Amino acid sequence: MAISRIENVSRLVVGNWKMNPKTEKEAITLFKALVKTVPEKSKLVRVLLVPAVYYASLRAVKQKVISLGVQNIHHELDGAHTGDIALSMFNKQPLYVMCGHSERRALGETDQDVNKKVLLTLKAKSKVILCVGEKERDHGILFFGVIRDQLEKALNQIPRKDISSIVIAYEPVWAIGKHAPRPATAEEVREVVIFIKKVLVDLFGPSVLPEVKILYGASVDSKDAQDLVQEGGVDGLLLGRASLDPKEYARTCAAITY
Ligand code: PGA
């Protein structure tokens, strides 16, 4: 199991399998296929966020190139929460926990819930992938307010010392999924990255900037990966569908390894 110090690496690729694949057997096969695509001595840090029920079996696969995490935890430590999973229930603690994905927010997850998940994850010494992003891109500046609000609320009471354990993923909701008309342009990404940095500086001071990785995710594939990273100014990518296809995964990772 690879343990990555995210603050010291230049690029990061996080795969989000969502509710895929259909069986544990397929999950193990797909995971091994993704592991196989990793070139020797690759400097790219790779994380895969898998369905919780597959987590233990995938942890058992012997490999050192992809760190594993989960896509969600409950925001309470225990209690009457039918069907939910607490962080402590994982036999081996996930290295990464995604908090605030728009598909969870759409199911009713509030900014306060996201904040509790972030705090619990950091307390347990796991790392956070915090997703933020506007539902609609207006022609003015209103969407910046949405992003500021999500960040301020999610990062409320986060100790300064823990900030390097947080990766922020900018995922504009309008660009996610196979029905999205298009991914964001590199220019659209760049302006939000600058804005996210500004909010981080307002919250924690300028020394925080080198410690926080910012990713872009939403309909990314190998064609636009390089442009999004280079011109968009992000430290890496959050892949949905591209992390379910080993060939496309390999091409996308290769596109940002330079
Ligand atoms: P997509 O998903 O790449 O399939 O659009 C991205 C995400 O929601 O994390």
Side-chain angles (χ1 to χ4, degrees):
M1 171 64 49
I3 311 264
S4 45
R5 285 184 55 80
I6 46 184
E7 65 272 34
N8 288 341
V9 298
S10 46
R11 298 260 155 74
L12 176 65
V13 165
V14 179
N16 173 17
W17 273 2
K18 306 195 179 184
M19 201 170 71
N20 298 291
K22 286 200 174 73
T23 65
E24 185 171 71
K25 201 166 161 225
E26 287 173 70
I28 293 171
T29 306
L30 173 60
F31 184 50
K32 288 182 174 166
L34 294 182
V35 165
K36 256 197 177 161
T37 66
V38 181
E40 228 179 284
K41 297 198 182 138
S42 168
K43 289 220 177 82
L44 197 62
V45 171
R46 293 155 198 260
V47 176
L48 200 58
L49 304 170
V50 299
V53 285
Y54 299 153
Y55 183 73
S57 321
L58 298 176
R59 272 286 300 228
V61 173
K62 284 204 175 21
Q63 57 86 31
K64 287 195 164 106
V65 291
I66 301 182
S67 299
L68 285 171
V70 292
Q71 300 163 15
N72 185 38
I73 53 163
H74 196 270
H75 60 269
E76 301 289 351
L77 290 172
D78 53 28
H81 303 294
T82 303
D84 268 311
I85 299 174
L87 185 55
S88 64
M89 290 173 181
F90 291 93
N91 187 11
K92 293 248 166 65
Q93 194 175 305
L95 285 174
Y96 290 83
V97 176
M98 185 155 67
C99 302
H101 191 281
S102 60
E103 286 156 12
R104 304 270 353 146
R105 291 180 193 260
L107 294 174
E109 184 172 273
T110 65
D111 287 312
Q112 285 68 28
D113 298 338
V114 176
N115 178 238
K116 286 185 186 164
K117 292 178 194 204
V118 172
L119 286 165
L120 283 181
T121 303
L122 294 172
K123 202 160 173 225
K125 306 268 177 255
S126 291
K127 294 174 198 298
V128 172
I129 311 284
L130 170 64
C131 299
V132 296
E134 76 282 5
K135 283 198 195 125
E136 283 161 26
R137 175 72 70 121
D138 56 86
H139 294 294
I141 51 165
L142 289 179
F143 69 95
F144 284 122
V146 173
I147 295 167
R148 175 180 282 277
D149 200 47
Q150 288 175 344
L151 283 169
E152 283 178 350
K153 289 182 173 149
L155 298 175
N156 185 30
Q157 298 199 8
I158 302 302
R160 167 68 183 83
K161 67 171 176 44
D162 286 343
I163 198 76
S164 60
S165 296
I166 300 177
V167 174
I168 294 172
Y170 170 51
E171 294 213 303
V173 182
W174 51 267
I176 294 177
K178 61 174 178 246
H179 300 299
R182 63 174 181 93
T185 64
E187 203 177 313
E188 286 167 330
V189 173
R190 176 171 282 276
E191 61 183 2
V192 175
V193 170
I194 293 167
F195 182 72
I196 290 174
K197 288 183 176 168
K198 178 172 174 2
V199 177
L200 291 174
V201 169
D202 291 347
L203 293 175
F204 298 99
S207 64
V208 89
L209 287 184
E211 294 177 37
V212 188
K213 299 278 170 214
I214 303 177
L215 311 182
Y216 172 73
S219 297
V220 179
D221 61 22
S222 53
K223 288 193 300 302
D224 47 22
Q226 186 172 3
D227 193 41
L228 285 165
V229 170
Q230 239 171 13
E231 303 303 320
V234 286
D235 302 298
L237 298 169
L238 177 48
L239 309 177
R241 282 155 294 155
S243 67
L244 294 167
D245 172 351
K247 283 195 182 130
E248 183 57 12
Y249 177 78
R251 281 194 292 264
T252 308
C253 291
I256 64 161
T257 312
Y258 44 87

